[in-house]
Amino acid sequence: MLPTVARVLDLDVMRRGLPQVVAGASALERPVRWVHVSELPDLAGLLHGGELVLSTGIALPEDRDGLARYVRELAEVGVAGLVIEFGRRYFDSLPRALVAAAERHNLPLVVLRRELKFVAVTEAVHALVVNAQLEQLRVSEAVHQVFNELATEGAEPAEVVRQVGRMAGAPVVLENLAHQVLAHATAGRGEHELLENWEHRSRGVNPPGRTGYDPRSGWLVTTVGARGQDWGRLVLVDEPAPLPPDVPHPHAMLLERGAATLALNRLVVRDRESLERQTHRTLLSGILTHALTVSEVSLRAQALGVPLEGRRLVGVVLRQRQGPLPAALEAQARLRDFTELAATAIRSARLSALVGALDDEGVGVLIALGSQQDEHASLEAFAAALRRLSAEAGRDGAAAEPVIAVGSSVGSVRDARRALLEATQVADAALHDAPGSRAAYYRLPDVRLRGLLHLLRDDERLQTYVERELGPLLAHDAEHGGQLVQMLRIYLEQGRNKSAAADAAHLSRPSFYDRLHKVERILGVDLDQVESCLSLHVALLALDAVRR
């Protein structure tokens, strides 16, 4: 940074002149851009602002009005300070009118009680100024290099924000236009202190321009967006500090470069999930993996506009009934679109919730219900909205019927993990139900035996049971490329009605019967026995659970 008036006065070459501040002491932190030596009374027209003026005062006006005008013009042009040396015009004191005018305009006025070589002062100060400018160039180059790399690598917004906070040495927050926190970096400060009541605090800070400093709060704010479409603000949260007019904030360039990187990355990766969905996903993942504490989840969700404390929380997991597995990129796009559909359905049902992808196939939703909101009515409204949106998307071939699985409602964030895990188990079991055969959504009692088997799917005893009952048939299909397991499944799902099963398998009855006899020989069972069929049916359901 440029040297301040106080820094200049502390130089050895200046201290030899016994400097004394007689006015404008509160403005000694003004930066000095240059040193100008002049005796002209109409000097202001030759200056650009930021200069420290050195004078003997020999040509200053004699009248009060002339002195006041001289100081006013210097202050208006943005002079950093005025230094007058005793010994030519003034000897023991300066005119009261001059001092009063400087105090009124908060212009640092300094007297030198001992004669100095002004050239020595200009050389020393200009050396500091040039060094500061070189350092500024080095910093600017380093900043551009860092953010060019982040832009090239397609860094996540959280990484960009962390880099801005690290380089600024102060907390940084990325918010959307609704003043909800999308990403933040604490820079070693307390997270609770930074994010508490964020929306209310942020709405009160609106400095002018795309980048502006608010001296009351100490916040530096820049708008984030590109191509005329602004979508957020990047905020540097610091302690209030006086900043002279027309002097840029020292971190303005850094903040603007970070905002530009965020805007560029959003344009480049617009086909990926939205930043809001990424933030929701991070919170849901933090709940499930214990990566975030309860207080961290509550605080960040509150800052995101989804209050969880004091609410009834309902875990919901959504999956889509799919045909053949799509390619990886297509699957990602489908999951992204499904997640956005879920978020739109939440807004349509006027609910507050975290919505984000849980894995490659499912979407997690943590609904926060107020005391006046009925749980069943809220879930039905959400389910109806999601099915309507999915049907509309399905007309363009982009969506399949959703499976909506609901866990138990809980009364605290600490128990939200249990609600989401239960909903996941219900979703895995319900995925194999026939489409349209249930109510608006599934809960644990609805999936019955399938639900129990999915709860036990990691138990080695269940896996052993599946192998004992179906192992030979699975091995036969694997070796010969057959579909005997599928034939057995169809037969059992049709209630052991061979004629109906043959029709469902699209086979003639003799062909289907022949396949059933082959199943009996391989497994050594009698498919006319109810107990044998029951055991095999349970094994098939367990196989589905194990494979999930």
Side-chain angles (χ1 to χ4, degrees), residues 43 72 129 221 241 245 266 298 334 343 355 397 461 470 498 514 520 547:
L43 174 63
R72 185 185 72 250
V129 170
V221 181
R266 178 162 173 143
S298 299
R334 182 180 291 180
V355 183
R461 290 171 295 183
L470 297 174
K498 294 180 181 180
D514 180 63
E520 290 178 319
R547 284 178 170 174

Side-chain angles (χ1 to χ4, degrees), residues 274-442:
S274 71
L275 179 54
E276 183 180 4
R277 296 280 72 76
Q278 291 180 38
T279 310
H280 282 228
R281 171 168 53 81
T282 299
L283 287 179
L284 289 170
S285 176
I287 292 172
L288 289 170
T289 64
H290 297 298
L292 298 175
T293 66
V294 170
S295 59
E296 286 174 332
V297 171
S298 299
L299 183 62
R300 295 185 188 186
Q302 177 74 36
L304 193 57
V306 184
L308 301 180
E309 291 291 347
R311 302 292 184 99
R312 282 180 299 121
L313 307 178
V314 183
V316 179
V317 171
L318 312 173
R319 297 197 188 278
Q320 288 179 295
R321 302 184 192 275
Q322 304 288 6
L325 291 177
L329 291 178
E330 183 184 346
Q332 292 176 9
R334 182 180 291 180
L335 180 62
R336 181 200 65 223
D337 294 342
F338 188 37
T339 307
E340 292 297 342
L341 278 181
T344 303
I346 283 291
R347 290 191 291 270
S348 178
R350 297 185 178 180
L351 297 173
S352 177
L354 296 175
V355 183
L358 292 181
D359 49 35
D360 294 338
E361 300 176 353
V363 175
V365 182
L366 185 62
I367 301 176
L369 297 175
S371 58
Q372 303 301 315
Q373 291 177 289
D374 180 75
E375 182 177 329
H376 179 65
S378 298
L379 288 170
E380 282 202 323
F382 166 64
L386 181 60
R387 286 201 164 90
R388 174 177 53 79
L389 292 168
S390 295
E392 293 172 357
R395 283 197 287 269
D396 299 326
E401 180 187 351
V403 171
I404 305 171
V406 181
S408 302
S409 62
V410 296
S412 69
V413 180
R414 188 177 305 279
D415 296 324
R417 181 175 183 272
R418 172 167 58 83
L420 287 169
L421 288 177
E422 182 179 312
T424 302
Q425 294 160 354
V426 173
D428 288 345
L431 196 60
H432 298 280
D433 249 13
S437 63
R438 296 287 178 175
Y441 54 86
Y442 292 88

Side-chain angles (χ1 to χ4, degrees), residues 470 473-474 477 482-494 501 504-507 512 515-516 519 540 543-544 547:
L470 297 174
L473 197 61
L474 291 168
D477 277 357
Q483 292 187 323
L484 295 182
V485 172
Q486 181 63 13
M487 295 301 105
L488 175 62
R489 185 189 298 276
I490 293 173
Y491 171 65
L492 296 175
E493 287 178 349
Q494 295 298 319
H506 305 292
L507 293 172
F512 186 77
R515 283 169 172 76
L516 287 185
V519 168
L540 285 170
L543 177 65
D544 293 336
R547 284 178 170 174

Side-chain angles (χ1 to χ4, degrees), residues 123-394:
E123 287 178 348
V125 175
H126 289 171
L128 290 177
V129 170
V130 171
N131 287 338
Q133 291 172 339
L134 288 174
E135 179 62 24
Q136 197 169 30
L137 285 174
R138 284 193 290 268
V139 170
S140 176
E141 183 180 358
V143 167
H144 284 286
Q145 181 177 352
V146 166
F147 287 100
N148 281 341
E149 291 177 358
L150 290 175
T152 303
E153 296 170 358
E156 295 288 338
E159 175 58 28
V160 177
V161 172
R162 277 196 299 271
Q163 193 64 253
V164 175
R166 185 186 67 80
M167 299 182 79
V172 177
V173 173
L174 173 64
E175 62 175 15
N176 61 17
L177 297 180
H179 302 276
Q180 297 168 343
V181 178
L182 301 176
H184 68 282
T186 62
R189 311 280 180 86
E191 185 177 55
H192 187 271
E193 179 184 355
L194 174 64
L195 298 183
E196 185 179 21
N197 201 22
W198 174 264
E199 181 179 340
H200 176 75
R201 290 158 54 209
S202 177
R203 289 185 183 278
V205 179
N206 291 290
R210 290 189 67 81
T211 300
Y213 176 70
D214 179 47
R216 179 180 53 84
S217 64
W219 289 13
L220 177 66
V221 181
T222 191
T223 303
V224 183
R227 296 181 179 177
Q229 295 183 346
D230 297 333
W231 52 267
R233 301 198 309 174
L234 194 59
V235 183
L236 181 72
V237 181
D238 211 346
E239 297 297 326
L243 192 66
D246 303 324
V247 175
H249 192 283
H251 294 309
M253 182 268 293
L254 171 63
L255 203 68
E256 289 174 345
R257 192 64 180 87
T261 303
L262 290 166
L264 176 62
N265 285 4
R266 178 162 173 143
L267 288 175
V268 172
V269 298
R270 64 172 61 209
D271 60 327
R272 288 163 53 182
E273 64 180 334
S274 71
L275 179 54
E276 183 180 4
R277 296 280 72 76
Q278 291 180 38
T279 310
H280 282 228
R281 171 168 53 81
T282 299
L283 287 179
L284 289 170
S285 176
I287 292 172
L288 289 170
T289 64
H290 297 298
L292 298 175
T293 66
V294 170
S295 59
E296 286 174 332
V297 171
S298 299
L299 183 62
R300 295 185 188 186
Q302 177 74 36
L304 193 57
V306 184
L308 301 180
E309 291 291 347
R311 302 292 184 99
R312 282 180 299 121
L313 307 178
V314 183
V316 179
V317 171
L318 312 173
R319 297 197 188 278
Q320 288 179 295
R321 302 184 192 275
Q322 304 288 6
L325 291 177
L329 291 178
E330 183 184 346
Q332 292 176 9
R334 182 180 291 180
L335 180 62
R336 181 200 65 223
D337 294 342
F338 188 37
T339 307
E340 292 297 342
L341 278 181
T344 303
I346 283 291
R347 290 191 291 270
S348 178
R350 297 185 178 180
L351 297 173
S352 177
L354 296 175
V355 183
L358 292 181
D359 49 35
D360 294 338
E361 300 176 353
V363 175
V365 182
L366 185 62
I367 301 176
L369 297 175
S371 58
Q372 303 301 315
Q373 291 177 289
D374 180 75
E375 182 177 329
H376 179 65
S378 298
L379 288 170
E380 282 202 323
F382 166 64
L386 181 60
R387 286 201 164 90
R388 174 177 53 79
L389 292 168
S390 295
E392 293 172 357

